[in-house]
Amino acid sequence: AIFALFLLVGALVFSAIEEEEKTPVEALYMAVVSLTTVGFGDVTPITERGRMFCSVWMLFGVAAMGNVVGEVANAMSGSKRRYRVTHLSGDLLSEMDHSQDGKVDRHEFLKHVLVMEGLVSAAFLDEVDANFDALDADHSGELTQDDINIFTAKLRGSKSEMAATRTTLPS
């Protein structure tokens, strides 16, 4: 809205200054080309008054254009989306309940919001869960030093088995 106001003001001023000799269409074209920083150079202010106005008007107008570009980028990237569950229905509860136990825990809720925001895919989150499960040797739902020790021992065992297999293979 602010950018449109700057376009309108610029077009009105340049069409109103008689010495500028610009039709309303030329004045609007000049405003668009100037504030979008394209600046073809085919339409420029020709009077001192026009140049003085343009010097101040462009500083603020180009800043307004930067704001428009930022808003478009945010809209395209979705960075300002705020997904909030404001109501809970049986269908939504079922959708979020990945464990199918009739309850939604914090982990399931977080997964649902991340997927709905488009920040990650459900497949990626499933891979993360599978990775956690593989590291959670005692299946406690938590990673501990014991889990790390078991995981490290398994890795060493796998490397030893691979080395032993290589040495016993016939040549």
Side-chain angles (χ1 to χ4, degrees), residues 30-100:
M30 180 177 163
V32 170
V33 169
S34 297
L35 294 188
T36 58
T37 70
V38 173
F40 290 122
D42 56 339
V43 182
T44 59
I46 55 176
T47 65
E48 189 172 312
R49 226 173 16 157
R51 289 184 183 129
M52 292 299 293
F53 168 76
C54 210
S55 297
V56 175
W57 169 75
M58 275 199 255
L59 286 174
F60 293 103
V62 169
M65 177 62 187
N67 188 45
V68 169
V69 170
E71 290 299 319
V72 169
N74 284 337
M76 291 177 70
S77 71
S79 66
K80 284 196 171 181
R81 286 186 299 186
R82 295 289 185 250
Y83 181 83
R84 279 200 182 267
V85 176
T86 56
H87 68 284
L88 194 58
S89 65
D91 290 339
L92 183 59
L93 185 71
S94 294
E95 185 182 328
M96 289 190 281
D97 184 14
H98 296 283
S99 63
Q100 301 299 310

Side-chain angles (χ1 to χ4, degrees), residues 120-135:
V120 295
S121 68
F124 175 77
L125 290 174
D126 290 342
E127 288 177 29
V128 171
D129 280 342
N131 184 225
F132 182 91
D133 292 342
L135 295 171

